[in-house]
Amino acid sequence: MKKTKKITFIGAGNMARSIIKGLVNAGYPASEIMACNRTAEKLAFFSQLGINTSTDNDQGVAFADVVVLAVKPQFMQAMCESLAQHGKCTDKVFVSIAAGLTVARLQAFLGCPCPVIRVMPNTPSLIGRGVSGLYANDDVSDSDKTFVAEMMNAVGTTIWVPEESQINGVIAAAGSSPAYFFLFLEAMEQEALNMGFDKNAARAMVENAMLGAAEMVCHNSDLELSELRAQVTSKGGTTAKAIEHFQQQGLSELVQNAMRAAVTRAQEMEKTF
């Protein structure tokens, strides 16, 4: 990144860990990052990264130019209101990675129209291969948008969405989707075990097949996904038979309905929190 700012993460869960480790791995100065959590044991992970840690959220906010709100949605209101009560919210940019909490709702929790950017990342950020959807309203300056985009670009790819409601679509298509692929791999691995392969061979086959397929997609961006599929589907062959079975079982509709269920849940969370 061309410019650094002090960044505090409030919350020490998996996503905060993924982003922080990704930033450090990408060369972001560890001295410019702080992680806060009221439970000291949860901060132990970060000692190996050389970043600052604290069990005091107010200390973390005082340290920061940019505050990443990484607590669970059900805890967000109490945490933000505590910060507001201690007058720690002025002159800060807040970045929320919580599903189901709108910018307006977060600003209400913080008690001021402070700049808030919603970011929906996914866990491959841990290895620099994440994808994050970003939304900011008119309260956010262009320079702040640029910094947060660069921050997330340090751990993967970023996509700005023009409407806040589209963040829910990002959740379905990117935020949650690594779990979809893991579930598919689980099923493939289990069937390979059923066929008599040992655990190591079954795992090696499915993970490398998925990795190779992903690389083919990335290196052939000019080709439609359907064309890539057709290239490995010989008419009347084994792959064609497997694809035919997927289609007969309604795989496309199943995926569509699963993604829509994720969006629906995100919309429900907006009303809950």
Side-chain angles (χ1 to χ4, degrees):
M1 295 175 64
K2 297 179 181 179
K3 182 179 180 181
T4 64
K5 295 184 179 184
K6 293 184 183 299
I7 308 170
T8 288
F9 290 75
I10 299 182
N14 290 334
M15 192 57 70
R17 293 182 182 190
S18 296
I19 299 171
I20 292 171
K21 188 169 184 180
L23 283 168
V24 173
N25 288 346
Y28 199 89
S31 61
E32 298 286 277
I33 303 173
M34 179 179 285
C36 293
N37 195 280
R38 291 183 178 179
T39 305
E41 289 78 8
K42 291 186 177 180
L43 296 172
F45 167 85
F46 299 105
S47 62
Q48 63 185 301
L49 301 177
I51 71 166
N52 305 283
T53 60
S54 176
T55 56
D56 184 343
N57 290 342
D58 289 339
Q59 180 183 1
V61 175
F63 167 86
D65 302 305
V66 177
V67 181
V68 181
L69 305 173
V71 302
K72 293 180 179 179
Q74 59 266 38
F75 304 137
M76 189 70 77
Q77 181 173 1
M79 186 272 293
C80 288
E81 289 178 349
S82 175
L83 295 179
Q85 184 178 11
H86 292 90
K88 300 293 184 180
C89 298
T90 57
D91 301 323
K92 309 291 180 182
V93 178
F94 289 87
V95 177
S96 170
I97 63 172
L101 288 170
T102 64
V103 167
R105 191 81 172 128
L106 289 162
Q107 288 177 327
F109 293 164
L110 292 165
C112 65
C114 46
V116 176
I117 299 176
R118 288 187 66 186
V119 176
M120 184 48 55
N122 63 5
T123 52
S125 299
L126 178 62
I127 58 171
R129 296 304 299 268
V131 57
S132 302
L134 296 89
Y135 169 79
N137 67 9
D138 294 337
D139 295 323
V140 183
S141 69
D142 288 342
S143 62
D144 288 335
K145 290 179 184 177
T146 298
F147 177 81
V148 173
E150 288 180 349
M151 180 181 78
M152 298 310 300
N153 279 333
V155 295
T157 300
T158 54
I159 300 171
W160 284 98
V161 297
E163 301 293 336
E164 187 168 12
S165 61
Q166 290 179 295
I167 284 289
N168 293 337
V170 173
I171 293 171
S176 298
S177 61
Y180 312 162
F181 297 121
F182 299 152
L183 179 62
F184 197 85
L185 290 175
E186 284 181 64
M188 289 179 62
E189 181 186 54
Q190 184 56 56
E191 184 54 24
L193 293 171
N194 294 342
M195 292 175 177
F197 293 99
D198 64 35
K199 183 73 173 180
N200 290 337
R203 175 67 178 256
M205 283 192 292
V206 299
E207 70 180 30
N208 283 287
M210 179 65 78
L211 179 61
E215 290 288 346
M216 289 183 70
V217 170
C218 293
H219 289 294
N220 292 279
S221 58
D222 57 322
L223 294 179
E224 295 290 340
L225 296 177
S226 58
E227 175 61 23
L228 287 171
R229 172 171 55 82
Q231 288 180 1
V232 294
T233 310
S234 302
K235 187 175 181 180
T238 57
T239 306
K241 197 64 178 177
I243 295 297
E244 178 185 335
H245 186 79
F246 280 134
Q247 292 172 333
Q248 287 175 345
Q249 296 298 311
L251 178 63
S252 295
E253 291 79 6
L254 180 63
V255 172
Q256 291 166 5
N257 289 336
M259 292 176 68
R260 289 168 185 168
V263 170
T264 298
R265 178 55 184 153
Q267 293 169 338
E268 291 171 351
M269 291 172 68
E270 289 175 358
K271 299 175 183 178
T272 301
F273 304 116

